Amino acid sequence: MPTNLPPEYHRADERFRSARTAEEKIAALEDLYGTIPKHKGTDKLRADVRRRLAKLRDESQNQKRAGRHESAFHVVREGAGQAALVGPPNTGKSALMRALTHARPEVADYPFTTWTPTPGMMPIDDIQVQLVDTPPVHRDHVEPAMFDLIRHADLLLAVVDLSDEPLRQFDETNAILMEHRVVPLPLKDRTVNPERSEFLPALVLANKNDDALTDEDAAVFGELLGASWTVIPVSAATGRNFELLKKRVFETLGIIRVYSKPPGKKPEMGSPFVLKQGSTVADFAAKVHHDFLDHLSSARVWGAGVRDGQLAGRDHPLNDGDVVELKTG
Ligand SMILES: Nc1nc2c(ncn2[C@@H]2O[C@H](COP(=O)(O)OP(=O)(O)OP(=O)(O)O)[C@@H](O)[C@H]2O)c(=O)[nH]1
Ligand SMILES: [Mg+2]
């Protein structure tokens, strides 16, 4: 490998290594290719990257052909949960997607840039949550398949442009969503057709809050929506409040991370099992391996609210961050 590669190369390489989906791998590799200086010393490397790209593209095409669902609106779920970025045109959904994941949907300063959804993985500490960028919600363009996609998500991220009548955008989006039987949880009581509706937890992303100058606008917007909504002022351009956004996404998904400790070994930190809040030792055992549940003899738990290594029964409720040692026999 040539030694004089620029830092961008190594960053792209790191992104490639941590990419989960074929699309992310391809995007990272394309970026990586662009960072390699063109000279004799890099001929071999560039040829190698081109070969890897061609192979990945082939594989990805074949997978798509083999898939039962041909629709561009079918997104394979991955990670600890799925959150859909939803909102009017030009609010910055794709820009947020690009800033929070390795996915590379097109961003442009005119409406209706995005026509098909793009998935990507957003890291939150040691887990990954899938974000899905979607085409704009707008009366002039309604794609029923898009509402099916949104309906099956775990979380709605309603994106508005803080600099362009956010309240009007927000009301319009909710109205259109509800006409398609997708109901953000805070609007539950206003549902006309509850039996046929899907209720989704929601966070509101007030985007284009690039610096402190617009904090007051964000605060006013939050007050107008009232306490039943969680408004997070963010900026795809500057990355403002991204940590807060991730924290709220984690909380709102209602999940916990539990780490496995094989008997006599160190806990496997860094690769948690993701469970629903309220899960027990038995739920954890079932997740680790279905045999474990049947043959579980004892469990020890380290974490909040327990003595270190405390023996715990099957029904013992687990907390985020717990370490569990399962013994069978
Ligand atoms: N200042 C600023 N501009 C932003 C920010 N996020 C997005 N933009 C700009 O807003 C415009 C629209 O961004 P997109 O990400 O394409 O918006 P979108 O919501 O995906 O648009 P559609 O695909 O049409 O629905 C682009 O010109 C972006 O550069 C932000 O946080 N701050
Ligand atoms: Mg877009």
Side-chain angles (χ1 to χ4, degrees):
M1 168 163 312
T3 48
N4 56 345
L5 292 166
E8 301 87 74
Y9 171 91
H10 296 286
R11 277 201 290 275
D13 190 43
E14 206 160 282
R15 269 190 24 229
F16 173 71
R17 282 169 207 280
S18 60
R20 294 278 176 109
T21 65
E23 276 81 353
E24 287 180 30
K25 284 188 186 144
I26 292 171
L29 215 49
E30 281 170 352
D31 286 1
L32 180 134
Y33 188 71
T35 65
I36 309 176
K38 287 199 184 79
H39 55 71
K40 198 97 197 95
T42 60
D43 278 355
K44 213 169 147 292
L45 177 63
R46 279 182 295 133
D48 179 53
V49 174
R50 279 200 303 273
R51 235 189 335 270
R52 275 152 75 194
L53 254 176
K55 188 159 171 272
L56 271 172
R57 286 192 182 123
D58 271 348
E59 282 171 6
S60 154
Q61 271 307 318
N62 287 341
Q63 267 176 17
K64 275 184 192 146
R65 252 179 256 134
R68 263 189 313 122
H69 301 269
E70 296 288 322
S71 161
F73 284 85
H74 179 76
V75 172
V76 178
R77 296 175 74 94
E78 285 185 74
Q82 188 186 63
L85 288 157
V86 174
N90 224 35
T91 48
K93 300 177 293 300
S94 301
L96 282 167
M97 189 72 192
R98 286 179 76 107
L100 291 162
T101 74
H102 295 320
R104 288 290 167 268
E106 195 186 340
V107 169
D109 60 0
Y110 47 83
F112 293 100
T113 306
T114 304
W115 289 92
T116 53
T118 305
M121 303 308 286
M122 172 172 75
I124 305 180
D125 293 339
D126 51 5
I127 63 162
Q128 307 247 1
V129 168
Q130 184 179 47
L131 295 188
V132 185
D133 180 28
T134 64
V137 172
H138 195 276
R139 293 221 172 271
D140 296 347
H141 178 76
V142 170
E143 179 82 56
M146 182 174 87
F147 294 95
D148 278 339
L149 186 162
I150 300 171
R151 190 171 297 123
H152 290 108
D154 301 310
L155 171 63
L156 206 62
L157 297 176
V159 182
V160 296
D161 178 344
L162 190 57
S163 66
D164 181 22
E165 299 185 85
L167 190 60
R168 187 190 51 74
Q169 294 180 15
F170 175 77
D171 288 341
E172 178 85 352
T173 303
N174 284 334
I176 298 174
L177 285 174
M178 286 176 76
E179 283 164 29
H180 292 85
R181 301 184 286 112
V182 181
V183 182
L185 267 178
L187 297 176
K188 198 166 186 214
D189 296 342
R190 290 202 225 155
T191 321
V192 217
N193 208 342
E195 309 79 42
R196 301 188 55 231
S197 298
E198 194 65 47
F199 298 94
L200 288 184
L203 296 172
V204 184
L205 308 187
N207 191 34
K208 309 198 187 179
N209 176 236
D210 296 348
D211 50 44
L213 290 174
T214 45
D215 274 351
E216 200 176 325
D217 297 346
V220 170
F221 176 59
E223 271 170 37
L224 286 171
L225 298 201
S228 54
W229 294 94
T230 303
V231 177
I232 310 166
V234 293
S235 164
T238 65
R240 239 167 148 238
N241 290 333
F242 276 6
E243 287 314 307
L244 180 65
L245 162 68
K246 291 182 181 199
K247 190 161 173 265
R248 294 281 178 264
V249 166
F250 183 81
E251 289 166 1
T252 316
L253 282 172
I255 52 180
I256 58 170
R257 295 161 301 172
V258 179
Y259 301 83
S260 169
K261 179 189 172 313
K265 291 193 186 147
K266 286 202 173 129
E268 293 165 350
M269 302 312 280
S271 50
F273 288 83
V274 176
L275 298 166
K276 288 207 184 77
Q277 263 171 18
S279 291
T280 60
V281 165
D283 297 323
F284 174 67
K287 189 112 187 181
V288 175
H289 197 289
H290 54 266
D291 281 355
F292 269 40
L293 188 58
D294 295 337
H295 302 113
L296 188 63
S297 60
S298 73
R300 287 179 185 280
V301 181
W302 288 255
V306 285
R307 279 176 284 110
D308 268 357
Q310 179 179 315
L311 275 172
R314 285 169 171 256
D315 296 333
H316 175 84
L318 294 169
N319 292 306
D320 183 46
D322 280 358
V323 170
V324 179
E325 179 186 85
L326 299 173
K327 274 198 179 140
T328 53

